[in-house]
Amino acid sequence: MLNYIAYLQALRLEKNKKWKPALAAYQEIAKIQNQPSAKLAYRIGFVAEKIKDWETAETWLQRAVEADPTKAQWHYRLALAQELNKKFSLAVETYGQAIALQPKNPQYLYRLGKVLWICGKGEAAEAALHKAIELAPNNPSYAYELAVAIRKQGRIWQEVEALQAALALDAGNAQWQFELGEAQDKMNRFAEAGQAFQAANRLKPGNAQWHFREGWAWERAGDAHQAAQAYAAAIAADQTLGAAQWGIGVFHQERGFWAQAAQAYAAQLQHQPENAQLHYRLGLAYARCYEWQAARNSYSTSLALDIH
């Protein structure tokens, strides 16, 4: 009787989202019981997940499904704990057990797809995600995860299509807009990439790297006006690279694109011809491009200006 009252009190704590007291209360009951019931084991695992104690969650959810393997939701929650404990192969197996019990649950298929691509099983991941999308076609997260699974296999053109499908359902996701821009940029579709980066920056302004990527896409698309605007925003937003001093070349240098950095530094020198550090940076960029004479000339100019 006392155990039953304690269990009701723990349930009330859980219902009121007082997760830590609920967990402590359930665990006290488990200490008293010789063989904690499957239901109690599940409740402990479930509440442990709520406070992100994934080790405790996995331990107790494993006990729950061993005691009663007939509940799809219990397998699902165990798989989630395994996934978040980075036991991805185990999670694949356990999600599979949940799906065997409830094959038309799109959330189970979605999580299975995610851990499958993490395990390097891209084709199987796509198959699971396509099934999830068939069952829940209006869920943008499922479409996005499909794009990630496709990206991992290097099929950029299909990644673009999947990202566009996700954005058709949630156009306000700045990260997805940026990733669409990245994929289109890789395909040399620079005007489209510029538009996607621009959409991302409108939704979430102030990221220097994002503004730079927009400008770089517009520049290669031949739109000097839009490029200049985006570069100005990148320079204004930068707080770490010194773009206000040395210009847009710092972003190319940060990405390891030395030829583009050299071109940008050379252009910046037209406005700051006596900036020793800028000449030094140009020399460094030339050196990384194996243009030794040009590098020597820039270093010499930097040293001369620095001395004076």
Side-chain angles (χ1 to χ4, degrees), residues 220-247:
R220 286 171 294 159
D223 193 329
H225 175 70
Q226 299 241 55
Q229 286 188 321
Y231 283 152
I235 290 168
D238 173 58
Q239 296 181 2
T240 59
L241 299 179
Q245 280 182 287
W246 301 308

Side-chain angles (χ1 to χ4, degrees), residues 71-92:
K71 292 181 170 57
Q73 180 69 6
W74 293 15
H75 287 282
Y76 170 73
R77 300 228 66 101
L78 172 58
L80 186 62
Q82 290 168 335
E83 177 186 340
L84 291 161
N85 282 327
K86 302 187 185 305
K87 298 176 181 178
F88 300 119
S89 295
L90 269 178
V92 166

Side-chain angles (χ1 to χ4, degrees), residues 63-286:
R63 293 179 69 169
V65 299
E66 285 172 359
D68 183 356
T70 65
K71 292 181 170 57
Q73 180 69 6
W74 293 15
H75 287 282
Y76 170 73
R77 300 228 66 101
L78 172 58
L80 186 62
Q82 290 168 335
E83 177 186 340
L84 291 161
N85 282 327
K86 302 187 185 305
K87 298 176 181 178
F88 300 119
S89 295
L90 269 178
V92 166
E93 183 180 341
T94 309
Y95 281 131
Q97 291 164 352
I99 292 164
L101 292 165
Q102 199 172 328
K104 292 190 176 181
N105 188 308
Q107 182 67 14
Y108 297 178
L109 289 158
Y110 159 68
R111 297 304 308 193
L112 174 63
K114 186 167 186 174
V115 291
L116 280 167
W117 71 249
I118 291 171
C119 291
K121 298 177 180 179
E123 287 186 19
E126 281 187 63
L129 290 163
H130 276 299
K131 287 180 184 176
I133 291 166
E134 286 171 14
L135 291 164
N138 294 321
N139 190 313
S141 295
Y142 298 175
Y144 171 73
E145 205 62 43
L146 177 61
V148 176
I150 292 169
R151 180 189 306 156
K152 296 294 179 181
Q153 297 174 81
R155 301 201 314 275
I156 302 170
W157 69 97
Q158 288 181 319
E159 178 194 346
V160 167
E161 292 172 355
L163 284 168
Q164 287 171 333
L167 285 163
L169 298 168
D170 182 6
N173 191 306
Q175 180 64 39
W176 297 357
Q177 292 281 8
F178 180 79
E179 290 178 25
L180 175 60
E182 284 194 307
Q184 289 168 327
D185 191 287
K186 288 174 186 173
M187 294 180 70
N188 296 332
R189 289 158 59 172
F190 301 127
E192 292 173 63
Q195 290 170 358
F197 289 136
Q198 187 177 72
N201 286 320
R202 283 175 177 164
L203 289 164
K204 191 179 176 182
N207 184 315
Q209 291 290 344
W210 284 21
H211 287 295
F212 165 73
R213 292 297 299 277
E214 180 191 341
W216 179 225
W218 286 128
E219 182 178 335
R220 286 171 294 159
D223 193 329
H225 175 70
Q226 299 241 55
Q229 286 188 321
Y231 283 152
I235 290 168
D238 173 58
Q239 296 181 2
T240 59
L241 299 179
Q245 280 182 287
W246 301 308
I248 213 71
V250 297
F251 294 103
H252 289 301
Q253 179 174 333
E254 175 75 3
R255 299 181 72 212
F257 291 176
W258 292 102
Q260 291 80 7
Q263 186 178 2
Y265 287 140
Q268 189 69 18
L269 276 168
Q270 294 177 12
H271 307 289
Q272 302 179 61
E274 296 186 3
N275 187 319
Q277 180 64 25
L278 196 52
H279 281 283
Y280 172 81
R281 282 175 171 264
L282 177 58
L284 177 63
Y286 280 141

